Each structure stands twice: as C-alpha cells, then as structure tokens.
Amino acid sequence: MKVLSKITLVLCLVCLGGGPAYGQSWDEGVSAHKRGDYATALDIFSVFAEQRDATAQFVLGLMYAGGQGVPQNYAEARQWYRRSAEQGYSRAQYNLGVLYEYGQGVSQNDNEAAQWYRRAAEQGDPMAQYNLGIMYFNGRGVPKDQSE
C-alpha cells in the first residue's frame, strides 16, 4: 500500500503540476515534493487544503499515508481524504475505500469500503470499479452478485 500511495502521489503531482489555477505556490509545492523536501511541500499544500482545495486535501492524505514529511498516520490520511472525498474528488473516495477495506487508520468495514468505491466508480475511476467488482464477486460489503 505504501508503494501504491507514493506512485499515486507522484502521478497526481505530475499531472497537476504547473496548472494555472494554482499559481506559483502550487508549483513550488510540486517542486519541493519532487526534490524530496516534503516539509516544504506539506506546508504549501496545507495552505491550499485549509482553503478547501480538494486536490490539496487529497495530496495531504497521500503524504500522511506514505509518511512523507510526517510520520505515517492513516487516521490523519483518512481525515484529509474524507474532506476531499466529500467534495466529490474521486481519487480520495477510492483511497477511503482502500483504508476501510484494509482497516488502515479505521476499523475494517467492507460496507463502508463498498460505499466509497461506488462513489468513485460512478465517476469512472477504474480502480474503484475493479475493487467494487471484486467486492460483488466475493459478497463483501455488498450482496454477492457475480453479474454485477
């Protein structure tokens, strides 16, 4: 999971880096993260996250899940993912599903995992669609339904 979180964070930052909506400070956060200066990246993304920026909230969740610039803390990651997910950010919804499925920072809960996977899957997130399909196949958190 830790490797997946790091890969997801790097992809997120690469895809979002340089976006005009975030201005120079966002770019500085991306640059800081790329050079391994996680403390600076955390400071920059925290400013955006506190302003209710769903992408920045998701990035903070990734940093806490991966222990980048902070001690690894799935409970804190969950809080940031939830803030982002409640604004409709599908990758945060997917990551919340993962936390609930595996009991990382939360009590393991297949029903909750399936709900978050469904929200992300309905937005077209392929990993959420896959995980939700596996849950239907095995009847975990949802009724067993191989056709679903």
Side-chain angles (χ1 to χ4, degrees), residues 19-32:
Y22 296 106
Q24 188 175 5
S25 292
W26 182 267
D27 292 341
E28 290 170 3
V30 172
S31 295

Side-chain angles (χ1 to χ4, degrees), residues 72-121:
Q72 185 178 46
N73 184 333
Y74 288 117
E76 187 72 18
R78 179 192 51 80
Q79 291 178 15
W80 287 111
Y81 288 152
R82 184 174 291 274
R83 289 181 185 184
S84 179
E86 288 174 351
Q87 294 185 70
Y89 199 81
S90 67
R91 292 305 299 163
Q93 293 167 344
Y94 166 77
N95 282 21
L96 268 176
V98 171
L99 293 183
Y100 279 104
E101 183 175 4
Y102 295 101
Q104 296 175 310
V106 296
S107 295
Q108 194 280 334
N109 185 326
D110 286 339
N111 293 332
E112 193 75 16
Q115 288 176 24
W116 286 110
Y117 286 150
R118 179 177 309 288
R119 289 176 71 173

Side-chain angles (χ1 to χ4, degrees), residues 8-35 37 40-63 84 89:
T8 303
L9 178 57
V10 169
L11 290 174
C12 178
L13 292 174
V14 167
C15 291
L16 297 171
Y22 296 106
Q24 188 175 5
S25 292
W26 182 267
D27 292 341
E28 290 170 3
V30 172
S31 295
H33 188 274
K34 285 181 181 178
R35 68 176 178 270
D37 183 358
T40 299
L42 188 72
D43 287 343
I44 292 170
F45 294 133
S46 292
V47 170
F48 287 99
E50 291 298 338
Q51 295 172 356
R52 296 188 33 85
D53 182 295
T55 304
Q57 292 168 340
F58 171 69
V59 170
L60 287 183
L62 290 171
M63 292 183 76
S84 179
Y89 199 81

